[in-house]
Amino acid sequence: MSEYRIQGATGEWEVVIGLEVHAQVTSNAKLFSGAATAFGAEPNTQVSLVDAAMPGMLPVPNMECIRQAVRTGMAIDAQINKWSRFDRKNYFYADLPQGYQISQLYHPLVGEGAIEISLDEKNPDGPTKSIGVERIHVEQDAGKLMHDQHPTRSYVDLNRSGVALMEIVSRPDMRSPAEAGAYLRKLRAILRYVGSCDGNMEEGSMRADVNVSVRKPGDEFGTRTETKNVNSVRFVMAAIEYEAKRQVAVLEDGGKIVQETRLFNVESGTTRSMRSKEDAHDYRYFPDPDLLPLELTDAFLEECRASLPELPDAKRRRYEALGLTAYNAGVLTAEVETARWFDTLLGALEGSQAKPAQAANWVAAELFGALNRLGKDITESPVSPAQAAELLALVADGTLSGSLSKQVFEIMLETGDGPSKIVEERGLKQTSDTGAIEAVIAEVLEKNPNQLGQYRAGKDALFGFFVGQTMKAMGGKANPAVVNDLLKKALAG
């Protein structure tokens, strides 16, 4: 990833990027109520009296939400604050029934951590960069205004009101759209491995506020703008690119950047001003009088740490130690479902002659290719890890050749049958019967006297021709190694 610069009339400009990611906590209920959080429910069907801010209703923290946020902090080696506190962030909006949001400003649950990103996607063992995470705090989500349901009215859906969010605030350490994309992908992978957020950006369970400023390299930070609620990695990168170029144009034209909140238009790829950016004092933050501070015990923290799974970087290193290439290890650990599928495959291969590296090559080439054709992801694979292990074992022990294994795999995709059953029923077993192969070779040499003469006259490249003719005559069922050995003897004669 080369240095990213914007070329202006007055010279080069550097972009400075920070991301505030809102990740919906995977939980059985909202942050301070027992209401459900299922996506796609009918409007206002998942709203408790607490969420609707009915008089006299008091919030009660959902400890599963706290647990998930702590586990996320541990996954990025962040400081976990055993004492934290909730604050009220006061502002009026029609989808905020309380007139304030319960958040954490002064004493967040999780302090400083870091996320390591790869600067070269094609080479996960290449250069990396550490992006600082300033804090992770938990807070309520607001409801949703619906402007397209009536020609003159807006409706309010409070289903999201009170949903638990982790706000993961990075330091302004990113210097290009590509770095921001790599950070967001890595953070999403960690959240999905931990199980604290499903990372579904299309459904809004993970979204990013994008802070961008520009400066001449080495200068002080410039004034930043914040582009709100961007819901895909691609759009985050596009928003950064547009906003950075817009700011450079304004500055080079003698203007000033205004600290403001902006919106990204996905169709035009542009940002537009929404409102001036408020500072913390504008929200009159103060400790929430209805909630006691959170005090975490050592036993609770130990349970959180013990529950963490093997994380992407550790899993990638383990795969490389098994003989996988850095690229394959990176591909197989990028998504948690892929890694789980491959781990199950490795378990099923134990005791067979198939090697983990061969399995990885097969998954990356054959399985991914087939799933791509079928428009399915790995969780919908028609072939199970156990069936894949059986197929790879048949190749490793010589029962199937490479070409025969491709035929068997296609039949597996169509029928769902296991490879051994297909081989038995369709007679696709590879043969190493030297007598049968020698007879076919003799026939091939007899039918191709010109090529035989040329080969014996020194045209060694024709050896491949004879291999191909022999394999064709045997319907691809001959063991290639045996064919090569017998052909060399026959041609030498």
Side-chain angles (χ1 to χ4, degrees), residues 446-466:
E446 189 179 336
K447 286 181 178 177
N448 297 281
N450 292 338
Q451 288 85 348
L452 178 60
Q454 290 174 43
Y455 177 85
R456 286 177 173 165
K459 197 170 182 181
D460 294 345
L462 281 169
F463 184 77
F465 166 79
F466 289 110

Side-chain angles (χ1 to χ4, degrees), residues 41 90 398 485:
N90 297 274
D485 287 343

